[in-house]
Amino acid sequence: MPPDARARIVKQPNTMRQLVTNLYTRRALAQRAQAQGLAQKPEVVAALALARDKVLSDALLVEVDQSNTPSDARLLSMARTMYQASPADFHMPEQVHIRHILVSTREGDAETAKAKAQDILVKLRAGADFAALAKQHSADPGSADKGGDLGFFAKGRMVPEFDEAAFALQKAGDLTEVIKTQFGYHVLQLVARKPAGPMPFEEAKEALLAKVRQSEQQRGRIELAKTLEDTMKLDESAILGTVEKLLAPVVPAKP
């Protein structure tokens, strides 16, 4: 079990109990099947052999991945080289950092929602705290608790009306008029703008490290596969015979 999954389960006693119960139940079922002689049935023998092969081959691949994963220092060096070699791959479009307050039209009539949004805008222009009003009034479950903060985003991520209003804002602190989208009425405030340009290495680092790690591990797997191909002696007639058996029509058992 992966360490992160193990850590999550340990913190959930009920889930842990159910998992252990399932393991004991499966063990009891296996023992009952063994006692009834099912382990000698040809199809069960074949399935057990396949399961054993899978467990062992998966374990080998884990070992191969670990042995082909460079050290942290080497990974970082390779990531920097990749970053410097392909600057066009790390170009960021212009982005804006926006927070908003949504008054939904799903409950109640549109005119009431619009009037509420207008009232919120008046309060904001009079100096009210944006985050406090967002927490109190915004119907956006993803941002209300964060004071309406949506973080940075590029053009095209939001619905067109929202996008247009957001990118029209120029100075930090600027507010939009009340705008309407399919979700209701919004008031937006600009927190910051980020011009188009190269993505800093620190922002791209984690993705680059993952890409380099995966590439090196894949290279190790390919080398292993080639070694196996060079050493394996395949019986073509046996392979064709197995394929024919698998493709043969199933004959129903006689009653």
Side-chain angles (χ1 to χ4, degrees):
M1 181 183 296
D4 56 340
R6 183 191 299 272
R8 287 196 303 271
I9 291 176
V10 168
K11 295 178 181 178
Q12 302 173 23
N14 290 337
T15 301
M16 191 71 175
R17 179 181 178 81
Q18 186 61 54
L19 179 62
V20 173
T21 299
N22 290 345
L23 289 173
Y24 273 106
T25 301
R26 186 170 291 276
R27 176 64 60 83
L29 289 170
Q31 290 173 344
R32 177 69 64 87
Q34 183 83 28
Q36 292 181 5
L38 296 180
Q40 279 69 53
K41 296 184 70 172
E43 62 270 29
V44 176
V45 171
L48 287 172
L50 286 173
R52 181 178 182 275
D53 287 349
K54 183 180 187 310
V55 170
L56 287 173
S57 61
D58 286 350
L60 176 61
L61 290 176
V62 169
E63 291 289 329
V64 170
D65 287 348
Q66 290 176 346
S67 65
N68 284 280
T69 300
S71 66
D72 290 347
R74 177 64 178 154
L75 273 175
L76 186 59
S77 174
M78 295 171 75
R80 285 190 183 279
T81 299
M82 183 180 291
Y83 174 80
Q84 293 165 358
S86 306
D89 293 343
F90 304 99
H91 179 81
M92 290 197 313
E94 180 186 21
Q95 298 181 70
V96 289
H97 182 176
I98 295 292
R99 53 184 181 178
H100 82 131
I101 297 172
L102 167 65
V103 181
S104 176
T105 52
R106 291 181 181 177
E107 298 179 7
D109 65 274
E111 287 304 315
T112 300
K114 183 177 181 180
K116 181 178 179 180
Q118 291 283 9
D119 182 60
I120 290 171
L121 179 58
V122 169
K123 291 178 180 177
L124 290 170
R125 285 176 171 166
D129 182 81
F130 195 104
L133 287 181
K135 290 177 181 179
Q136 182 180 357
H137 297 291
S138 184
D140 178 6
S143 68
D145 289 343
K146 297 183 290 186
D149 198 338
L150 296 173
F152 278 100
F153 58 87
K155 284 184 179 179
R157 179 178 163 188
M158 303 297 182
V159 294
E161 305 93 332
F162 197 102
D163 244 11
E164 183 179 352
F167 280 87
L169 296 170
Q170 297 300 315
K171 295 185 299 182
D174 282 355
L175 296 163
T176 63
E177 298 293 334
V178 172
I179 64 166
K180 187 178 187 307
T181 71
Q182 65 201 65
F183 304 105
Y185 291 92
H186 309 252
V187 177
L188 282 60
Q189 184 180 56
L190 179 67
V191 178
R193 295 185 74 98
K194 189 182 292 184
M199 180 185 295
F201 175 74
E202 286 303 316
E203 290 186 25
K205 184 172 73 173
E206 291 306 317
L208 283 166
L209 289 173
K211 187 174 182 178
V212 171
R213 186 182 296 109
Q214 183 180 30
S215 176
E216 290 300 296
Q217 291 174 349
Q218 185 63 23
R219 181 180 58 79
R221 291 189 177 201
I222 291 172
E223 289 177 356
L224 173 62
K226 188 175 186 309
T227 300
L228 292 175
E229 288 175 3
D230 292 341
T231 57
M232 283 190 306
K233 294 181 179 179
L234 299 178
D235 186 335
E236 292 295 335
S237 61
I239 292 174
L240 290 174
T242 301
V243 171
E244 289 176 358
K245 288 180 181 179
L246 291 172
L247 296 178
V250 177
V251 179
K254 294 182 179 180

